[in-house]
């Protein structure tokens, strides 16, 4: 398992998973299959950036704490690796 950044310590798992989903929303971009490692690396960088962005974390704390279908199904590592996308889920569609 990938080690989480220091800023992740002490945060609830659901919060971390939601922050990972947000990192994918912010950091994902189209690339050919052979270039996907670059995309994944950038998503990881966005995850760490969000964790260290105190104003953002404060503003979205309540939203990040809410469980949803994706936070219940996938781990942080799976989200950051876009496993949900491979399984056919679109994180840009807001659940109702």
């Amino acid at each position: 398992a990938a080690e989480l950044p220091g800023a992740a310590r002490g945060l609830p798992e659901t919060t971390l998973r939601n922050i990972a989903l947000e990192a994918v929303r912010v950091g994902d971009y189209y690339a050919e299959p052979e270039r996907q490692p670059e995309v994944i690396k950038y998503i990881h960088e966005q995850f760490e950036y969000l964790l260290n962005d105190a104003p953002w974390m404060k503003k979205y704390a309540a939203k990040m704490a809410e469980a949803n279908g994706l936070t219940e199904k996938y781990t942080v590592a799976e989200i950051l690796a876009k496993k949900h996308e491979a399984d056919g889920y679109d994180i840009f569609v807001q659940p109702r």
Side-chain angles (χ1 to χ4, degrees), residues 35-51:
R35 308 268 322 261
Q36 284 302 307
E38 295 171 30
V39 177
I40 301 299
K41 181 178 184 281
Y42 186 66
I43 290 169
H44 278 264
E45 291 168 0
Q46 296 308 303
F47 179 64
E48 190 159 3
Y49 176 81
L50 290 170
L51 284 169

Side-chain angles (χ1 to χ4, degrees), residues 5 16 18 24 28 36 38 42 55 62 65-66 71 73 80 86 93 95:
L16 290 172
N18 273 314
V24 173
D28 196 11
Q36 284 302 307
E38 295 171 30
Y42 186 66
E66 293 176 10
T71 62
K73 184 172 176 67
L80 293 175
V93 176

Side-chain angles (χ1 to χ4, degrees), residues 1-2 4 12-22 24 43-44 47 68-85 87 91:
L4 293 174
E13 185 66 21
T14 297
T15 298
L16 290 172
R17 291 176 184 191
N18 273 314
I19 295 167
L21 287 167
E22 190 61 28
V24 173
I43 290 169
H44 278 264
F47 179 64
N68 60 59
L70 294 177
T71 62
E72 292 170 0
K73 184 172 176 67
Y74 297 102
T75 66
V76 170
E78 289 171 335
I79 293 167
L80 293 175
K82 303 195 305 180
K83 182 171 183 344
H84 57 277
E85 189 177 284
D87 291 347
I91 62 166

